[in-house]
């Protein structure tokens, strides 16, 4: 249509808009780091009761959905591994496959995806609603940093709870694989447990927990970022919630790939 910008102009505007978003991401990350420095120095206005409340909301309240998904993932992995390895006469390696897959990859990733859709969206909608109601402006007027008061407790709480949730997820996934091995391969429970302990070491577990803690920080960062920068309208809160989930999932996949490269280089 006449007056409509062409392809080159649209591409340029898109690039400029996202380049500005990168500066917003970096600025918000810097504010969180400075808030953490203030907390270490005892000058932060963060309330630990808010951190414990965030841990309660992101941990025990998410146990049912994380447990169910992890159990079914373990069942699926065991079925696939048993069918694949049976062709080579190596079906007794199924416990090792399930254990390593859950501890190193599936446990952290599936927990991160569930928390991104559940907790990251909740953070974005809560903070976004506060911004629409001008509560964040009121905090700034009172001289209280919104990052100290709202963001830092959520980042700390989720980074602590995510590894604990991953341990729970790993256990449920391994139990799901055990049920399949017991029913399909007639493998005794003692043999399954023995194979798990023979093929898993402490570094496998620690590598997954380190990754999961980073995922927790990413989810809290993305949710709070979208909430703090949402439009002051009812539709803006909805867009911020959707954007928080998408951003969290994208960053989880990107950082999981980065961790995979680092672990491969250092043989972790």
């Amino acid at each position: 249509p006449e007056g409509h910008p062409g392809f080159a102009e649209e591409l340029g505007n898109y690039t400029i808009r996202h380049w500005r978003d990168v500066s917003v991401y970096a600025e918000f990350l810097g504010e969180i780091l400075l808030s953490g420095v203030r907390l270490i120095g005892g000058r932060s206005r963060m309330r630990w009761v808010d951190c414990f409340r965030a841990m309660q909301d992101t941990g025990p309240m998410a146990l049912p959905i994380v447990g169910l998904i992890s159990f079914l993932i373990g069942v699926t992995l065991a079925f696939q591994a048993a069918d694949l390895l049976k062709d080579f006469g190596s079906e007794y390696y199924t416990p090792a496959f399930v254990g390593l897959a859950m501890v190193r990859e599936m446990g952290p990733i599936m927990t991160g995806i569930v928390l991104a859709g559940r907790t990251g969206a909740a953070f974005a909608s809560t903070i976004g609603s506060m911004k629409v109601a001008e509560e964040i402006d009121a905090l700034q007027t009172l001289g209280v940093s919104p990052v100290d008061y709202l963001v830092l407790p959520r980042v700390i709480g989720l980074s602590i709870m995510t590894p604990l949730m991953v341990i729970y997820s790993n256990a449920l996934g391994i139990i799901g694989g055990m049920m399949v091995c017991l029913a399909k391969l007639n493998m005794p429970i003692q043999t399954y447990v023995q194979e798990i302990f023979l093929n898993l070491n402490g570094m496998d577990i620690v590598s997954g927990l380190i990754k999961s803690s980073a995922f927790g920080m990413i989810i809290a960062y993305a949710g709070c970022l979208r909430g703090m920068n949402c439009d002051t309208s009812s539709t803006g809160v909805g867009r911020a919630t959707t954007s928080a989930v998408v951003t969290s999932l994208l960053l989880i996949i990107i950082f999981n790939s980065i961790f995979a490269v680092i672990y491969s280089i250092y043989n972790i």
Side-chain angles (χ1 to χ4, degrees), residues 243-265:
S243 181
V245 176
V246 174
T247 304
S248 299
L249 296 179
L250 177 62
L251 292 178
I252 285 174
I253 299 302
I254 292 174
F255 276 83
N256 185 65
S257 302
I258 294 174
F259 275 110
V261 173
I262 294 174
Y263 289 166
S264 177
I265 292 175

Side-chain angles (χ1 to χ4, degrees), residues 32 35-40 44 46-48 50-56 58 123 147-148 150-164 213 216-221 224:
I32 294 176
S35 179
V37 172
R38 288 195 297 270
L39 178 64
I40 295 174
S44 175
M46 190 194 85
R47 301 190 309 171
W48 284 103
D50 294 333
C51 181
F52 295 144
R53 186 177 295 113
M55 293 171 66
Q56 169 71 21
T58 59
F123 286 174
V147 176
D148 290 356
L150 298 174
V151 177
L152 193 60
R154 289 171 168 82
V155 173
I156 295 176
L158 195 56
S159 63
I160 293 174
M161 288 307 301
T162 306
L164 300 179
S213 182
M217 294 181 186
I218 289 170
I219 295 168
Y221 166 80
C224 295

